[in-house]
Amino acid sequence: MFSDEIAKIDWEQTTKKIYSKTESDVLRALAKERCDVEDFMALISPAAEKYIEPMAQLSKKYTEERFGKVMSMFIPLYITNSCTNSCVYCSFHVYNKMPRKILTFSQIEDEYKAIKKLAPFENLLIVTGENPVKAGVPYLAGALDIAKKYFSNLKIEVMPLKTEDYAELRKHGMNGVICFQETYHKENYNIYHPRGMKSNYEWRVNAFDRMGMAGVHSIGMGVLIGLEEWRTDIVMMAYHLRYLQKKYWKTKYSVNFPRMRPSENDGFQPNVVMTDKQLAQATFAMRIFDHDVDISYSTREPAYIRDNMASLGVTTMSAESRTEPGGYYTYPQTLEQFHVSDSRTAKEIFNALKQHGREPVWKDWDESFDELSLVKC
């Protein structure tokens, strides 16, 4: 399990290594065809800031070699904001006095129909708070069963599950799982997650192993930028990515760098701030480090950043997102989990991407693709 591996990596020593990287280390990493985590440290270090332009061009080169000019489009659907956790930075936390919504299956289907009217989305991300009693595996299975009638690629972003639960949801059409570790800083993890299932650091960090053991086709990873030193957190994610790729090599991986926005409860404010330039640097560094990983930008980021980064490393984007349960049809005024920065319609985003030389696609995976590949083998 990865919890055993990360226990061998010291946070403070890793931070010192990142900040001790020199221009020579950066140039050495840029000259390599395949980088290791030490090279990645150099590429996200302050020493690499003056090399942002050559990093951008190299990131663009590797992206187009692997993905062409395709931008995969997806849309998230929050089906409940009911949550038993107390994450200090999240609007859904259990102590926040707000209306809690758990969509019925009929309401969920109304949401699916409303989404299909926005654009020809085929990639759907189903999102919930963490409430295993009221919105557990049977509830998710039901939502997936209905979704199969409308979408060809189904992913979930929910509480970490058991291996057998991931395997069960695969039978109901689930193709991928997204899970943010939030931060890999174990000593401070419980400061941000003081109670609830999410307070168990090992259970969460080992969820990715359980996904791999269940044969999940696509695994999405991320750290929440704003909790701890962002460079160190992203390096820890790079270690995690390499571990997973080696152990579950048939699985496809994606990464995300969501920057924290102010929460609805007017409480927690980000401890660290990642500038736009630093977000670009982290994106370029990740693409140079791994040519095959999907890099995703959500509508947390403003339109100008998403447009500019579309040709420089990003391969997956959400569009016309609503972060409240039932936000497309049933409850459009429910409290959001976070504020959307890119509020353009899916069609407006589609047109903007075309103007930037990208080819937005609504469908890029179907279960039949894997079945066909097995027949050919």
Side-chain angles (χ1 to χ4, degrees):
M1 292 290 196
F2 186 67
S3 59
D4 298 324
E5 299 301 316
I6 198 170
K8 305 171 187 175
I9 308 170
D10 183 83
W11 178 278
E12 298 301 331
Q13 288 298 319
T14 301
T15 304
K16 290 178 181 178
K17 287 178 71 174
I18 295 168
Y19 279 86
S20 67
K21 294 297 182 181
T22 65
E23 289 188 36
S24 296
D25 297 320
V26 176
L27 292 171
R28 187 180 305 110
L30 291 174
K32 294 177 67 172
E33 179 68 21
R34 296 290 175 179
C35 293
D36 57 23
V37 177
E38 286 287 338
D39 299 316
F40 183 70
M41 290 184 195
L43 293 172
I44 65 165
S45 73
E49 291 178 354
K50 64 187 296 184
Y51 294 96
I52 194 77
E53 185 58 35
M55 287 177 64
Q57 294 307 311
L58 196 55
S59 177
K60 181 178 182 179
K61 171 180 177 289
Y62 289 143
T63 301
E64 294 191 353
E65 286 178 352
R66 172 60 178 83
F67 296 91
K69 297 185 178 182
V70 167
M71 181 66 66
S72 178
M73 309 299 294
F74 76 95
I75 191 166
L77 171 63
Y78 288 68
I79 59 175
T80 175
N81 59 8
S82 180
C83 192
T84 58
N85 292 323
S86 58
C87 309
V88 299
Y89 50 80
C90 181
S91 297
F92 288 180
H93 73 79
V94 67
Y95 297 122
N96 194 11
K97 302 301 181 183
M98 58 178 284
R100 302 290 173 167
K101 303 294 183 182
I102 300 178
L103 299 186
T104 66
F105 290 141
S106 176
Q107 290 171 333
I108 289 173
E109 186 157 19
D110 285 339
E111 296 297 315
Y112 295 158
K113 293 176 182 178
I115 287 173
K116 296 298 283 190
K117 291 179 180 179
L118 300 177
F121 286 104
E122 290 290 340
N123 301 317
L124 177 71
L125 175 65
I126 297 174
V127 188
T128 71
E130 298 193 11
N131 190 333
V133 174
K134 295 183 178 181
V137 173
Y139 178 68
L140 295 171
L144 288 165
D145 285 339
I146 301 169
K148 287 187 291 187
K149 297 188 294 183
Y150 299 93
F151 306 94
S152 61
N153 185 15
L154 303 176
K155 297 183 180 181
I156 61 171
E157 185 178 338
V158 302
M159 58 200 165
L161 303 172
K162 299 176 182 178
T163 302
E164 54 267 33
D165 291 334
Y166 287 124
E168 175 63 24
L169 291 179
R170 285 187 63 206
K171 298 176 184 177
H172 293 268
M174 182 199 76
N175 171 52
V177 181
I178 294 176
C179 182
F180 288 178
Q181 180 58 31
E182 316 297 15
T183 179
Y184 286 90
H185 195 307
K186 185 176 181 180
E187 286 71 21
N188 290 350
Y189 181 85
N190 286 107
I191 294 175
Y192 311 113
H193 313 99
R195 61 157 285 179
M197 289 177 60
K198 202 167 180 178
S199 64
N200 188 329
Y201 177 90
E202 284 78 11
W203 176 252
R204 192 167 190 87
V205 81
N206 289 334
F208 302 88
D209 277 283
R210 298 192 297 275
M211 297 171 205
M213 289 185 285
V216 172
H217 174 81
S218 174
I219 294 176
M221 313 171 68
V223 291
L224 183 56
I225 305 299
L227 298 181
E228 294 292 331
E229 165 57 57
W230 64 265
R231 290 182 172 91
T232 312
D233 249 334
I234 294 177
V235 165
M236 296 300 183
M237 185 169 65
Y239 275 121
H240 199 173
L241 176 62
R242 280 290 184 261
Y243 163 87
L244 293 170
Q245 288 173 328
K246 182 177 180 180
K247 194 165 184 180
Y248 311 105
W249 53 272
K250 292 183 179 180
T251 300
K252 178 182 178 182
Y253 296 93
S254 64
V255 296
N256 199 324
F257 317 107
R259 294 191 290 179
M260 185 174 293
R261 297 284 184 254
S263 63
E264 290 284 349
N265 63 359
D266 295 323
F268 187 85
Q269 295 300 322
N271 291 321
V272 296
V273 174
M274 173 190 270
T275 66
D276 293 349
K277 184 177 180 180
Q278 289 169 338
L279 174 62
Q281 181 185 355
T283 303
F284 303 151
M286 181 58 70
R287 172 59 65 225
I288 296 168
F289 172 66
D290 195 295
H291 305 176
D292 298 323
V293 71
D294 258 319
I295 299 178
S296 179
Y297 271 24
S298 75
T299 51
R300 283 177 181 263
E301 296 302 335
Y304 73 91
I305 291 180
R306 283 164 37 105
D307 287 350
N308 289 330
M309 293 300 293
S311 62
L312 299 175
V314 178
T315 53
T316 305
M317 283 189 182
S318 56
E320 205 158 344
S321 303
R322 300 289 182 268
T323 64
E324 64 270 36
Y328 300 101
Y329 181 85
T330 312
Y331 299 114
Q333 302 304 317
T334 304
L335 182 65
E336 298 176 315
Q337 186 184 33
F338 63 86
H339 292 304
V340 167
S341 294
D342 187 348
S343 59
R344 295 174 295 177
T345 66
K347 294 179 181 178
E348 288 172 335
I349 294 173
F350 178 91
N351 291 333
L353 289 170
K354 295 285 284 187
Q355 291 173 5
H356 283 78
R358 298 300 95 183
E359 189 59 42
V361 297
W362 306 104
K363 179 178 180 178
D364 58 353
W365 186 88
D366 190 282
E367 188 175 6
S368 62
F369 297 166
D370 279 359
E371 293 173 354
L372 181 60
S373 65
L374 288 174
V375 170
K376 289 182 178 179
C377 290

